[in-house]
Amino acid sequence: MKNLKKLTIDENYFYLNIIKSKHRKRKHSLSILSQIVKNRYEEFEQLVKNSDLSRIKKENFTLLEKEALLHLYNQPTIQLNNLKKEIKRSQCEFYSTHCPYCGLYHSDTFDHYLYKEEFPEFAIYSQNLIPSCSRCNRKKNTKWIKDSIRQYIYFYADKIPTVQFLFCSIAVTSDFLITRFYVDTKNCSNTIEKIIVENHFANLDLIEMYEENCNSFLSERKNTIKKYFSGTLAELKEIMKSDLEEYILKFGLNNWQSVLLDELIKQDDILSTWI
Ligand SMILES: [Zn+2]
């Protein structure tokens, strides 16, 4: 779990450029709206800077204005496609293809962090566009906030805790391994971060998802070790520790695979049956 990189583009220029491709009537209403959109972009940026995005208020647009602003996103254009490509291209290798919300599936859609039907002025605002998998996008849907508290990590700016908050345990039965993931934020120092992280995991059912996917991760590891490794347990653990360092660097400390590998290294009983 790592932050996304923000694009460094002139958002107002992008807005003015994209409306050039629209028909006369729509172009006219979007031009009239350009100052309001510019102000809203500034407001968004300021709130993010102050870690206060939850305080953003809706703007009152007429139905026609809303339709015109949404059209900018809903109608594919070369400019918008390029923007989406650029957002993905700017990320580290893993997040250029994978969803930051779950860290599991490919990002095949874009989520609007602020729901676009409520905040149409941010429909093409790069800082509101999160490359995400369709599952997370569908699950998150409109529910970015509840009782004035944000429900999902905002990957462009939220400080992702640097301490471990995702954990797992592996129990051995006679036939198989039972892996359980859990979130424990007691080591996180900031209360708001704690709540957002807990909401994020609960709302997206991430624990359930990781538990569904961990068996294939474990059996793949087991097969590779059985096939290619012929050393001692201590040597195997050294190799796995250096793998873990790479995982943490690539995916972050609280990525489900990093957490699973970290736990696996501690399981001598399991590993000794794999060599
Ligand atoms: Zn996802």
Side-chain angles (χ1 to χ4, degrees), residues 12-28:
N12 298 308
Y13 175 80
F14 180 73
Y15 176 89
L16 294 172
N17 192 33
I18 203 166
I19 66 175
K20 279 187 201 159
S21 61
K22 302 299 168 190
H23 288 301
R24 203 171 51 86
K25 207 174 156 192
R26 193 172 272 129
K27 192 195 294 183
H28 179 67

Side-chain angles (χ1 to χ4, degrees), residues 109-123:
T109 64
F110 274 84
D111 170 59
H112 288 84
Y113 188 81
L114 300 184
Y115 183 47
K116 69 178 186 314
E117 298 289 328
E118 286 177 35
F119 297 92
E121 67 275 38
F122 301 119

Side-chain angles (χ1 to χ4, degrees), residues 4-262:
L4 294 179
K5 283 187 198 132
K6 276 185 205 175
L7 276 195
T8 48
I9 60 159
D10 183 335
E11 303 276 359
N12 298 308
Y13 175 80
F14 180 73
Y15 176 89
L16 294 172
N17 192 33
I18 203 166
I19 66 175
K20 279 187 201 159
S21 61
K22 302 299 168 190
H23 288 301
R24 203 171 51 86
K25 207 174 156 192
R26 193 172 272 129
K27 192 195 294 183
H28 179 67
S29 46
L30 287 166
S31 300
I32 294 171
L33 287 172
S34 65
Q35 188 56 47
I36 296 176
V37 171
K38 185 174 186 278
N39 295 344
R40 293 290 280 166
Y41 286 177
E42 282 169 10
E43 194 184 336
F44 185 107
E45 213 164 322
Q46 197 52 48
L47 286 167
V48 167
K49 219 180 211 171
N50 299 337
S51 307
D52 241 355
L53 191 55
S54 57
R55 291 182 56 200
I56 197 156
K57 296 277 181 289
K58 279 184 251 176
E59 186 77 37
N60 286 322
F61 291 111
T62 65
L63 274 178
L64 279 178
E65 287 170 342
K66 183 178 163 181
E67 188 275 328
L69 289 165
L70 289 175
H71 179 87
L72 293 174
Y73 186 81
N74 295 334
Q75 184 65 38
T77 51
I78 295 168
Q79 292 98 321
L80 182 62
N81 279 343
N82 286 343
L83 178 78
K84 289 177 173 178
K85 278 185 200 158
E86 202 47 45
I87 291 174
K88 285 192 168 190
R89 224 188 340 246
S90 306
Q91 308 310 325
C92 67
E93 195 190 338
F94 183 64
Y95 287 121
S96 65
T97 52
H98 282 77
C99 171
Y101 287 126
C102 62
L104 183 63
Y105 297 126
H106 279 96
S107 46
D108 50 1
T109 64
F110 274 84
D111 170 59
H112 288 84
Y113 188 81
L114 300 184
Y115 183 47
K116 69 178 186 314
E117 298 289 328
E118 286 177 35
F119 297 92
E121 67 275 38
F122 301 119
I124 56 163
Y125 183 53
S126 77
Q127 295 184 45
N128 195 38
L129 293 174
I130 318 283
S132 72
C133 72
S134 37
R135 183 197 174 275
C136 289
N137 199 343
R138 202 173 44 247
K139 275 215 160 258
K140 177 173 167 283
N141 199 4
T142 61
K143 302 163 284 198
W144 73 282
I145 197 159
K146 191 179 167 192
D147 302 330
S148 306
I149 295 174
R150 288 191 289 117
Q151 299 294 301
Y152 299 90
I153 297 171
Y154 175 58
F155 281 89
Y156 285 124
D158 279 342
K159 245 175 83 191
I160 296 170
T162 49
V163 293
Q164 188 170 356
F165 56 77
L166 178 66
F167 298 87
C168 84
S169 64
I170 307 177
V172 193
T173 70
S174 51
D175 299 321
F176 48 86
L177 304 175
I178 301 172
T179 310
R180 291 281 170 260
F181 283 87
Y182 58 98
V183 171
D184 184 345
T185 55
K186 70 171 181 296
N187 295 327
C188 305
S189 48
N190 182 309
T191 318
I192 297 296
E193 284 166 13
K194 270 187 197 189
I195 296 170
I196 295 174
V197 163
E198 285 166 8
N199 288 340
H200 183 96
F201 275 76
N203 290 327
L204 292 174
D205 291 327
L206 294 184
I207 296 298
E208 197 180 86
M209 247 169 71
Y210 298 155
E211 288 177 356
E212 277 169 17
N213 281 276
C214 66
N215 283 343
S216 57
F217 176 91
L218 290 172
S219 59
E220 241 171 68
R221 282 249 141 202
K222 182 182 174 179
N223 291 340
T224 311
I225 292 167
K226 279 202 173 286
K227 205 167 169 185
Y228 300 108
F229 182 77
S230 59
T232 63
L233 178 62
E235 286 165 344
L236 175 62
K237 286 174 74 166
E238 279 314 304
I239 294 172
M240 289 174 76
K241 275 179 195 165
S242 88
D243 278 358
L244 175 62
E245 277 172 29
E246 267 182 52
Y247 268 77
I248 292 174
L249 206 63
K250 205 171 166 189
F251 310 126
L253 176 67
N254 289 293
N255 171 275
W256 70 281
Q257 294 171 93
S258 309
V259 168
L260 186 53
L261 192 56
D262 184 34

